[in-house]
Amino acid sequence: MNILLINCSPVQNGATAEIIKIVNSFLEKGHNTKSICIDDYDIKFCKGCRSCHKTAKCVQDDDVIKVIGEYEWADIIISVSPSYWADIPGQFKAFIDRCTPWCNTHEPHATLSLGKKGYSIALRTGPGMKECNRIIESIEHFYGHLEIEPSGSLGLCSIEYKEDLENRKSEIKDFCSRILDCYLHKPLS
């Protein structure tokens, strides 16, 4: 099983990156895992030209196709996103906007291989789940348009620094166990 972990934050060594490390430590045994940070890629803003609605390709040349290649490689995609003003960070939103060529809302559109499962982990500094739920909804909406099956989520509140995760590792481990259970018990096609 190939598992892609995406740090949706521009911060490569903060709490989001630490969650990626924790998840990877639970899932890497017996599986191929790969971690990427959205900020490592050159992703330009969507121009809104809608050329991709006719061609299933973007007119811009940057790293979006590299990230899509990672999505294609993966059987499971886990997006880990902090709250930036109650939603996903702008860098990740720019990537989502640029995935319109793969969006199933128009024809023709490019496609990813079918059967991929998507998971979401949202974190925020405040105590309420409302912002985490909004982030999860944004990611799951994106997954749906790429025909990646949204398969589970975890919201972590009161997380500002890596150290805040020390007492939350069991929650993250349980979430990883559910991912493996779902994958191992999926019906045979």
Side-chain angles (χ1 to χ4, degrees), residues 4 22 27 29 34 37 44 57 60 70 79 86 95 100 106 111 115 118 126 130-131 137 156 160-161 166 168 181 185:
L4 178 63
I22 294 167
L27 297 179
K29 298 169 192 86
K34 189 182 292 186
C37 181
K44 297 177 179 129
K57 293 181 182 172
Q60 300 190 77
E70 302 292 3
S79 300
F95 168 69
T100 302
H106 57 83
T111 59
K130 187 175 181 181
E131 283 183 29
E137 287 172 3
L156 298 168
E160 187 164 359
Y161 302 106
E166 196 55 44
R168 310 297 288 277
D181 286 345
H185 297 103

Side-chain angles (χ1 to χ4, degrees), residues 142-156:
F142 170 57
Y143 285 159
H145 283 297
L146 294 185
E147 298 183 10
I148 297 168
E149 180 185 343
S151 300
S153 62
L154 174 65
L156 298 168

